[in-house]
Amino acid sequence: MSPKPSLNYRYIIPNLDHAMNQILRTIAFAGFTIVSAVATPNTYDFKDPKGVNAIQFTLDSILEPIVGNANAVEGKVTFDPADVAATKGALEVASSSLKVPNDKMTEHLLSADWIDAAKHQDISFEFSKLDSVRTISEGKWSAIAAGKFTLKGVSKEVLVPVTLNHLAGAYGKRLNKPELHGDLLVVRGVFTILRSEFGIQPGKNEDKVAPAIQLTFALVGSAPGA
Amino acid sequence: MPLSPTTPKPESPLPPEKTIAAWRILLRGAGAFFVLYVFCVWAAKGYNRGWTQNQVPVKHIDPITEIEFIKYEKRFVPGLDVLAAGVTSGLLIFSVTFLGRRCPPNRA
């Protein structure tokens, strides 16, 4: 009795492997697209566990620019990499955390004449969407955040050019705990305000301290479990 | 002929010799030393041509996010304001020595 010849489908359908690969790729792509379309945006907490977040301020003055920072940053931003324009959130920094390298100057800065940190405890920025979103590279965008900036109890609408950098899966790596899952969102930006518009010594000492204050920020928000 | 004790001394034809009181010399030295000392301290602490700092910002970089952040170190770095105050004080000490009478009133 002669052995039954086995069927080799490779001869029947010569490109079976290729066809299977195509089918699997199509399914994977469709799955990814569906997941992306229905993915809910994540909320990123900007109270950084490593204490890196800070807002730097620079005022030109007679001898040299006065440069300081404020590092008690808190706030939450909702971000979805599939819909960057819908990013929204609110960030605030404690006025009392403003600091310059000279203690006397810091004391002066926090006094009622300048920031009045005792009365106005927070400096905040709230925005509900991003405009002019442009992709710089994969996971990196530039945009304009239009929102309400509040300083010394005065709120003004401002436009803040920002760059966003989405670091998927970097949360645990940053904390040296690779077992933790989560994403990071890095937001950077620079904008300028006039101190007179916020009731900070309006029209006074402008020959000694410039009327414009430049604010620079580089903040990281964490979304554990994202 | 020797002069008797009651005879008045004749007037010297030369003007009295100019001398500086010891306290003036000391103060001038102190003033000059103070200016030099303040300058040396200012220079040794880094020639800071800005405002005096008693906390120095030191930059760090977070390796994952590449965010540059600042931590303050407690350190005194005198600026031009301290240098100016020190030099002014030294010059004031020095210039005080030019006030008042420069010669002792009763030279023997």
Side-chain angles (χ1 to χ4, degrees), chain A residues 126-147:
Chain A
E126 195 177 335
F127 64 102
S128 56
K129 67 182 176 89
L130 295 180
D131 294 326
S132 311
V133 177
R134 194 170 59 86
T135 305
I136 300 169
S137 59
E138 193 182 343
K140 199 168 184 181
W141 301 267
S142 70
I144 306 280

Side-chain angles (χ1 to χ4, degrees), chain A residues 148-190:
Chain A
K148 190 172 74 176
F149 179 74
T150 305
L151 170 63
K152 207 180 176 183
V154 180
S155 295
K156 295 268 176 196
E157 291 293 327
V158 294
L159 297 173
V160 182
V162 292
T163 59
L164 297 105
N165 194 2
H166 180 233
L167 303 172
Y171 174 72
K173 191 179 169 191
R174 183 166 181 254
L175 298 177
N176 291 324
K177 291 178 182 172
E179 70 275 13
L180 296 178
H181 298 285
D183 295 352
L184 298 175
L185 178 67
V186 179
V187 185
R188 298 171 199 269
V190 182

Side-chain angles (χ1 to χ4, degrees), chain A residues 30-99:
Chain A
F32 175 76
T33 309
I34 291 164
V35 167
S36 298
V38 298
T40 52
N42 288 313
T43 301
Y44 292 79
D45 188 354
F46 280 76
K47 187 172 183 178
D48 185 38
K50 291 182 83 176
V52 159
N53 286 347
I55 294 169
Q56 190 180 70
F57 56 91
T58 308
L59 296 93
D60 207 1
S61 79
I62 43 172
L63 199 55
E64 65 172 348
I66 298 168
V67 182
N69 69 358
N71 60 5
V73 178
E74 287 186 17
K76 286 184 167 53
V77 169
T78 307
F79 171 79
D80 180 0
D83 187 8
V84 176
T87 304
K88 61 181 178 178
L91 298 167
E92 54 190 43
V93 56
S95 306
S96 56
S97 69
L98 264 73
K99 188 187 249 189

